[in-house]
Amino acid sequence: MSDYEIRYPTHCDDVAAACKLLIDNRMKDASLGGIFHFSGNEAMTKYNMALSMADVFKLPTNHIKGDKAPMSEAPRPFNSHLDCSRINAMGLAAQKTFKDNIKLCLENYN
């Protein structure tokens, strides 16, 4: 499992909150425009995500092996971090952790 490329998993509720914040601010200031980046704030590899999911559900992880090599079949950037400073400066509320969000998403399947 890839333990190389860094991602920033983002829950759809957080995306909705970011969109609402932008809409509310645009309604107050019609000159507001440009590019606003948004993503989760936890840097994780697929391997980190799998370990986190296993931890949440108390599952074994000894069979999960991290691969430190870049993906060859579908090359991705090493780090997909976005500069979210513009939207964060508008007062975006704190996001839940990956573990909290994944538990909400998957708890009915446990």
Side-chain angles (χ1 to χ4, degrees):
M1 177 169 292
S2 177
D3 192 21
Y4 179 77
E5 293 89 4
I6 300 170
R7 297 151 165 81
Y8 295 80
T10 310
H11 191 277
C12 59
D13 287 350
D14 294 330
V15 174
C19 291
K20 182 171 184 333
L21 179 71
L22 287 172
I23 292 166
D24 291 346
N25 278 278
R26 172 68 179 190
M27 297 297 288
K28 295 176 193 170
D29 179 1
S31 69
L32 182 66
I35 296 171
F36 290 83
H37 293 287
F38 178 73
S39 71
N41 52 19
E42 286 180 272
M44 303 182 86
T45 64
K46 285 184 177 182
Y47 177 69
N48 300 138
M49 288 184 245
L51 294 179
S52 292
M53 287 186 255
D55 184 52
V56 165
F57 297 107
K58 311 286 189 267
L59 299 171
T61 60
N62 57 330
H63 64 287
I64 304 172
K65 306 294 181 212
D67 182 355
K68 292 287 188 185
M71 289 176 57
S72 58
E73 62 278 356
R76 304 276 192 260
F78 169 68
N79 187 332
S80 62
H81 186 256
L82 298 173
D83 178 1
C84 303
S85 58
R86 282 191 77 200
I87 195 161
N88 289 338
M90 298 173 97
L92 188 63
Q95 301 173 38
K96 290 180 187 152
T97 66
F98 176 81
K99 281 185 177 183
D100 288 342
N101 280 328
I102 205 68
K103 185 175 183 180
L104 285 172
C105 291
L106 299 178
E107 63 188 346
N108 291 333
Y109 302 99
N110 189 11

